[in-house]
Structures are given as structure tokens and as C-alpha cells.
Amino acid sequence: MRRVRGGVLVALVAVLATACAAGSTASAPPDPSAVSIGFVAEPANFDFTHTDGAAIPQALLYNVYEGLVKLDERGAIVPLLAESWTVSEDRTIYDFQLRSGVTFGNGAPFTAQDVKFSLERVRTAWTISLKSKMDVVDHVEAVSPTHARVVLARPSNNWLFDLTSRVGAMFTPTGVADLATTPVGTGPYTVAARNRGDSIVLRARTSYWGAKPAYPTVYLRYFRDPTALNNALLSNRIDVISSIAAPDSVPQFASDTRFQVIEGTTTGKVVLAYNNARAPLTDVRVRRAISYAIDRRALLDTAWGGHGTLIGSMVPPTDPWYTDQTADYPYDPDRARALLAEAGVPHPTLRLRVPNLSYAVSAAQVVKSDLGKVGVTVNIEPLDFPAVWLKEVFTGHDYDLSIINHVEARDIVTFGNPKYYWGYDSPRVRQLLAEADSGTEQRQVADLREVARAISADAAADWLFLFPNMIAAKKRVTGLPHNQVGESFDLALLGRA
Amino acid sequence: MLYQFARRLLILLVSLAVASVAVFLFLAVLPGDPAQVALGVNATPELLANTRHEFGLDQPLVVRYLRWIGGVCVGDFGRSYVTGDAVAPQVFDRLGVTLWLVGAGMLVALLIAVPAGTFAATRHRRPSGMLISGASQLGVAVPAFLAGVLLVRVFAVQLRLLPSGGWTPPNQDPVEFLRGLILPALSLGLVQGAVLTRYVRSAVLDVLREDYLRTARAKGLTPFRALARHGLRNAAVPVVTVLGLQLATLLVGAVVVERVFVVPGLGSLLLDSVGNRDLLTAQAVVLLLVVAVLLVNFVVDLLYTALNPRLRQGA
């Protein structure tokens, strides 16, 4: 008995020792040609033509799939598979000069026929609702193998911008048989392996048309739990945290000499939504009063550790029509009280129905306390996100106030949709948005500036802050984007120190 | 004996049927629209209606239940709302991972509990025995996820000896697999081991007081040999019962521990599918857990009679 027990003990110790020893040798010299990046949301599959959500384009766009144009870090539209393009006088005909010598991951050459195939396929084969972004396309012509012409039904600036997103991705007819598991694109990487619930392995293509990426192998690893994600970087399992999920974990990376912390902007606007269609918020004075009553600087410090940027409208600083509107509603509780009294509702009671996400719940506490000081009673109701929030607030419009991060780029256009959950309807804003879409680029900038001013003047919502882009990474990884402007985590930008 | 078996089997089947209804209803009444969650914020009403129809959500509850359970009976768990893949292979994939975790956790628990419990029982009046009792009391009070967080902090973040999480399939890289298994198995096993130690201790203690053991000692056997030859089998009866119950606790504990260690097992699948209102996947996972618990109880009942011949006549 005693000897048996001893044997078991020795065996156990041996197993532990070899396992640990293997660990120290494995993690000591990290493979310099591979990089491992940690994310929170894992793609359900690889087919963004049928499955919505940010996770698939984040992993695949610009990395496996490429479009004619892409978005650079400053938010500008730059050439990718198109070397250049021209726009007709009436802004409905786009002529794209295509790069030659481009091939897909399955060896098929990329030509104007593929442009026609891909853009038309959005309308015929895609099922996600974003496909409506290509509704404006009248038809596509393959003029020559390197010349594609797109004819729009009406002029649209938004369309060219949308081409930088997933709906602009180029496919080949020979590579769409099994998009959910085998994506085939022209990008610098192909999917080499997938371990569901854990990771995706990307390998650089030898036949890629552009510059070779700095890392031949990339591991995209997925961690549902933010603490597990942080621990993975601290314990050398990954090299980069694509987005720090909780601001209170920033100091532990900033104070560690192994790491760098990069902070910039995103397109995520954390909005205190007002239900413009429901009394008493139908009264602009009540909405303005709330905007005056909230100390946004203090809110940002409390809710998100001071990380992030104050904005005064639905526009991040990376959009060309950004102007500083942070002074539109300075913190002024006296004025808020006066406005409420003027509107005849000095002590309204409002339901603040928020998704059960940490930033929303902490911001809700500050909103409740700030509004309490001016006589507004706020009842906070956290709702399960996404299911319940989408049903009750977003679809059902059953709310007075809500808080959510609007992550989509250039979604200022939602203020032109009276059926959107804002319940906001302004004929002038709709008119300006339509003009912005069809006019010249200068016109677009001028019009959207005007829209941003108008929705702020109407206090259509309160823009609490812009969500920060916070990346923590080992110092050897360079080229990480300061600003997250598009849908993609662009691996081609990365470099090795 | 045969009557016993048939009776227990009948109880098992009835419990399964009731459980399937309960599982279905609990998930069906969850607020939120699976089609809306699957399609996201840009979904148009027409698209939503189409998708609801495609998922069969526009059917009455009874029809939905019968369709689902009818499929389940022939091994078809339907297709996931989120991935569009068949649910069954996904769930069984994840089950494999969770079984490794539960198995390893149980092994750790037994390796701790049997020697420690027996030791504490044979020395229950001495400081060393009391120390073990005290330590096990402490272990009982620590939830598995907390043990997990602490283990990660020490062994992964501070010492960097073992990975903080993740999963490598055993056939891909056996060494990495073992390294990844150690911390989750320890956090599950330590707590369960502490609980089990207390049961082993009291079971052995009871046996030690029995007359037949005194007789064995009188024949000249050492305390350990007497216990080994005559005592342990008797002590095993109550322990096996607890072990069965613990297997259920371990499965539930694994759900949480998988989250801490980013292990792609049933637990993480369940959390994700409930969050996404991927009802068919969630139903399959919960049903599987229920079946596992019921089966374990069934087997424990049978083992019970096998271990203790006296129970065979009772019926």
C-alpha cells in the first residue's frame, strides 16, 4: 500500500515536472515569425455574407479578403485592388483601374469579371441586412480584364465608403462553394486552421501581390472573459490584446516594461439615447435640460477611467466632417432646472433601460445621480444584451432613456430614419443627409457638418463619449493602429521591432 | 434484482421526459428574439419574419417541442441559429473537452481525498489528522472559479510555468494538452477533493469503530492492513454515493472553470448559446447535462447494490 502510494506520487511529480519544464522552454524563445493576438468576440463561421456581426470581418477583411478600396488609419479611402478610379460628371459612373497580377488563394486570377461577380452577388446571394448597401448599384460592366465600371442608380458618396467594408470584398466564382469554412480571397493571408472556441490560424500566402506581411503566421485567439484575455498577455500566451475590455486593467500593462499601451479613437459613440417620440422627451427643452444636467467629463472619469474622448455629436474625430462640439451643452444644472420648469415638467420620472454591459451600467449610475440633482427621477433597468435590449428598446421603442455604444462608422445617417429607435424626425436633417450622399465630396462634408450641428441643437441625443481604442502589446510588435476606424483588424500593418 | 433494475430504468425514463419539457420551456420563455439577435441591428422586418419562419419560431410551442424532441430521439438536434451547422457534432465535440476536464478533476479529487481522508480518520485525535480536517474545511469554502483565478495568478502570471488558459487537443500536441489541463483540473479537483476528504474521513471513521475491524486487529493485522482488507470496501458505499453527486457538481463547476480558463467545452458553449439565444444549441447542452446527471445517479444506484449485497434483499 505504502509503496503503491509512493509510486503514484513519484509519477505525478514527474508529469508535473516535465509539463512545467516543457513550458519554460516553449515560452522562453518566442517564435519571432509568429504573432498571437487576443480578441473577445469569436467568429461563428467564416461567412460574412450570411452571418452578421463584427467578429468575422474583424478577422478576415483586408487579411483574407480585399476590396477595391480600403480605409486607412486616418479614415481616408485609399486604393487596394483598384490602382485608381475616376467618377463621372454626374457622379453615377465609377471606372476602376484594377491591379494586374493579383490572384486568389485558390490560384484563380483576379479580373474585372470578379468585380462584377462579387458586387452583383451581394444582392443575389447575401442574406445579412448590410447587403442593402449595394442596392444603389444599377449594374457592373467588365470593360477589360483590368477595367471595371460600376454604374449607380443615383449618385452616392456612402457607396464608395461602403466598398471599404465587408460588402466590398472580392470573391471568385471558383471559391464561394463553402464560405463558412473555406474563405477564398486575394488578401495576404489564408486560413490555415481553426480550433472552434479557441483560435484561428492564418498563414501568409506566397503568391500575394503586395508586400510580404511581417508575420508569416498569425494566431487569432478568442477569450470571452476579459480577465482571461488579460492573463493571456501577462503569461506570454498572446502578444497583443486587440482591445482592452476594462479600463482598470490599463495600469497593470502600462507599468510593466514588457508591454506598450496604445490609445486612440474608435468609431464607437457611447450615446445617451432620448426617446424623441415619447413625452416628456418630445419637448426639446426637456432634452436640452438633460444634456445640460450631465457632467460628461466626470461621467467619463467615473464610468471608463477617463479613457476616451468627449464628443458633442454623432461624429468621431476621424470623419472628415468632424468639428469640436463639446461646448454645445456645458455642464449647467441651474440652466437645466430652469428649462425643465419652463417646459412645465420640473420633476419628471424617466426609465433608463440599459444593456447589461459594464460601460452602460456604470454610465447609467452617473446619469441617474446627475439628473437627480436637477429634479429628474431616473429608474435604471438593466436588460440582457443583446437579446432583451434589442427586443425592448431597439425594436420595441419601449424606453425613455438608454445608453449604448454605437460602433458603426458614419451612422449619423440613422438620424435621417424616423423609424429608428431615436424616434427623431427632422425633414431638414433628412434633406441634408440626402444631399450629402449625392453631392460632391466638398458638399458632403459641408452638409454633414450641418447635420451634426442640427442634431446637437435639437438635443436629439446626448453623446456621452467616444469609446477609446486601447491596445496592449509586447514591445516587439510594431505598427499597431492607434485609431480603429473600419471593420478590420489589419494585420498587414504590423511589423517586428 | 431484475425488478429493481426495471423500476430504476422506468424512473430514469420518466425523469428524462419531464426534464426535456422543462429544458424546452425554460429556454423558450427567455425574453428576446433569436432571429433579431442572429440578424443584428440592421435587420429589416421582412428579413426578421423570414428568419423566424426559417427557425420555426412562428410555430406554437407544442409543435416546436414535438419537432425538437422528435429529432432528438433519432439523434438530430437541429441546426444552430448562429453558425448554421448541425448542433449534435458541435455539442459532442465540446462534450469531449468537458469530459477530459471532469475526468481529470475527479482524478485529482480522488488522489487527494482517499489518502488524506483515510489518514485523517486513522489519526483523528492527533494534530496531523485535525490539520487535514481543518484544511479540508477551508477547501470546501473556496469556490472552484476562485481557486482557478488564484492558480492562474500564481502559476501562469507570476511564475509563468503553465498556460493561463486555452485548449490544445490531445492528438495535436500531447504535452501542451497536459500543460493546459493541469490548472483547470486542479481548480476543479482541489475543491471537490476537499469535500470528498470529509466524506472519506467520516466513512473510514465509522468503519474503524466496527466490531469486525476490531476482530481483524485482534487476529494480528496492522491497522492499515485491517483497513485495506476489511474496511475500505465498506467505507466505499457512502463515498460512491457522494462521488455520484459530486460528478454532477463537477459538471456544473466545469461550466464556470471553462470560462476562467477559456476552455472550449460544454460550459462555454452553453454560455455563448444562451447569450446569443441560440436555443437549439442551448437546449441540446442542457439536456445533455441533465441526461448525464440522471445517468450518473442511475449507475450509482446500481453500483450501490453491487457494492453492498445487503441492499439486494431489501427490495
Side-chain angles (χ1 to χ4, degrees), chain A residues 419, chain B residues 39 43-53:
Chain A
K419 288 191 196 135
Chain B
L39 292 175
T44 57
E46 304 85 67
L47 204 57
L48 275 175
N50 278 347
T51 309
R52 255 183 236 126
H53 179 71

Side-chain angles (χ1 to χ4, degrees), chain A residues 265-315:
Chain A
T265 62
T266 63
T267 55
K269 298 145 296 266
V270 178
V271 182
L272 172 64
Y274 301 152
N275 191 343
N276 287 257
R278 181 183 278 197
L281 292 160
T282 42
D283 189 328
V284 65
R285 289 169 298 189
V286 177
R287 302 198 300 266
R288 283 183 184 149
I290 297 175
S291 296
Y292 279 121
I294 292 167
D295 185 351
R296 279 169 289 275
R297 172 50 66 190
L299 180 141
L300 179 58
D301 288 344
T302 312
W304 218 236
H307 299 280
T309 319
L310 294 185
I311 44 172
S313 193
M314 198 73 176
V315 186

Side-chain angles (χ1 to χ4, degrees), chain B:
Chain B
M1 181 67 188
L2 197 67
Y3 166 75
Q4 270 276 332
F5 180 79
R7 211 184 65 138
R8 296 214 185 282
L9 194 65
L10 189 70
I11 295 177
L12 176 71
L13 291 177
V14 172
S15 317
L16 279 178
V18 173
S20 74
V21 175
V23 166
F24 176 80
L25 281 181
F26 273 125
L27 287 165
V29 299
L30 272 187
D33 178 0
Q36 171 93 63
V37 177
L39 292 175
V41 293
N42 296 304
T44 57
E46 304 85 67
L47 204 57
L48 275 175
N50 278 347
T51 309
R52 255 183 236 126
H53 179 71
E54 201 181 300
F55 291 170
L57 294 170
D58 48 357
Q59 304 285 330
L61 275 184
V62 182
V63 177
R64 277 166 61 192
Y65 172 75
L66 289 177
R67 260 192 202 170
W68 174 61
I69 204 70
V72 168
C73 289
V74 295
D76 175 15
F77 286 79
R79 283 184 176 276
S80 156
Y81 295 163
V82 175
T83 62
D85 297 338
V87 168
Q90 240 189 92
V91 170
F92 286 109
D93 241 31
R94 302 289 191 109
L95 176 68
V97 174
T98 300
L99 284 183
W100 273 112
L101 219 58
V102 171
M106 196 49 119
L107 186 71
V108 171
L110 282 173
L111 282 176
I112 293 171
V114 174
T118 315
F119 183 85
T122 51
R123 287 167 210 222
H124 70 282
R125 283 186 212 283
R126 290 190 228 164
S128 56
M130 287 186 203
L131 189 74
I132 287 187
S133 299
S136 70
Q137 186 71 55
L138 189 74
V140 172
V142 178
F145 76 89
L146 185 62
V149 170
L150 291 175
L151 285 171
V152 167
R153 202 71 218 167
V154 174
F155 289 99
V157 175
Q158 300 290 336
L159 301 173
R160 279 177 236 161
L161 287 174
L162 293 164
S164 61
W167 183 256
T168 317
N171 52 3
Q172 210 174 74
D173 183 346
V175 176
E176 261 313 296
F177 163 73
L178 273 181
R179 282 168 32 82
L181 193 62
I182 291 174
L183 289 184
L186 274 181
S187 33
L188 275 175
L190 282 177
V191 179
Q192 295 298 317
V195 178
L196 207 56
T197 300
R198 302 180 59 75
Y199 283 102
V200 171
R201 176 179 172 273
S202 69
V204 172
L205 215 50
D206 283 347
V207 167
L208 282 176
R209 295 196 184 110
E210 295 284 351
D211 293 342
Y212 58 80
L213 214 68
R214 205 175 320 131
T215 315
R217 291 285 308 278
K219 283 195 305 182
L221 292 178
T222 64
F224 262 121
R225 296 199 61 184
L227 199 59
R229 294 250 325 245
H230 303 285
L232 283 185
R233 181 164 162 156
N234 283 301
V237 175
V239 171
V240 163
T241 319
V242 176
L243 212 59
L245 291 174
Q246 280 209 309
L247 209 54
T249 329
L250 268 178
L251 269 175
V252 177
V255 171
V256 182
V257 165
E258 280 172 15
R259 182 70 176 240
V260 174
F261 288 98
V262 207
V263 174
L266 278 186
S268 36
L269 184 65
L270 179 64
L271 287 179
D272 287 354
S273 55
V274 170
N276 290 327
R277 295 296 185 270
D278 190 354
L279 297 184
L280 290 181
T281 308
Q283 281 164 13
V285 175
V286 179
L287 192 68
L288 196 67
L289 290 176
V290 171
V291 168
V293 171
L294 289 176
L295 270 182
V296 165
N297 282 339
F298 180 68
V299 171
V300 166
D301 277 350
L302 292 183
L303 264 183
Y304 222 52
T305 19
L307 273 173
N308 190 347
R310 277 167 296 182
L311 287 179
R312 282 174 217 166
Q313 277 122 36

Side-chain angles (χ1 to χ4, degrees), chain A residues 254-412:
Chain A
S255 63
D256 193 322
T257 53
R258 288 178 291 164
F259 307 121
Q260 51 177 330
V261 175
I262 292 164
E263 240 184 285
T265 62
T266 63
T267 55
K269 298 145 296 266
V270 178
V271 182
L272 172 64
Y274 301 152
N275 191 343
N276 287 257
R278 181 183 278 197
L281 292 160
T282 42
D283 189 328
V284 65
R285 289 169 298 189
V286 177
R287 302 198 300 266
R288 283 183 184 149
I290 297 175
S291 296
Y292 279 121
I294 292 167
D295 185 351
R296 279 169 289 275
R297 172 50 66 190
L299 180 141
L300 179 58
D301 288 344
T302 312
W304 218 236
H307 299 280
T309 319
L310 294 185
I311 44 172
S313 193
M314 198 73 176
V315 186
T318 43
D319 275 346
W321 40 88
Y322 171 79
T323 49
D324 185 352
Q325 290 180 265
T326 50
D328 286 5
Y329 293 91
Y331 177 54
D332 191 344
D334 291 329
R335 197 148 166 201
R337 272 185 287 261
L339 277 166
L340 286 172
E342 196 186 314
V345 276
H347 300 292
T349 300
L350 299 172
R351 283 200 304 165
L352 174 51
R353 309 189 82 191
V354 295
N356 59 344
L357 303 169
S358 61
Y359 69 85
V361 173
S362 13
Q365 308 291 341
V366 183
V367 167
K368 181 185 165 90
S369 127
D370 276 356
L371 292 186
K373 287 177 199 149
V374 300
V376 180
T377 311
V378 172
N379 297 320
I380 300 177
E381 292 175 31
L383 304 176
D384 191 15
F385 185 83
V388 182
W389 186 85
L390 279 179
K391 177 172 184 263
E392 297 281 319
V393 176
F394 189 79
T395 316
H397 299 198
D398 182 14
Y399 79 106
D400 297 317
L401 306 172
S402 185
I403 296 173
I404 194 143
N405 183 4
H406 282 260
V407 293
E408 258 184 79
R410 306 196 173 181
D411 49 4
I412 190 171

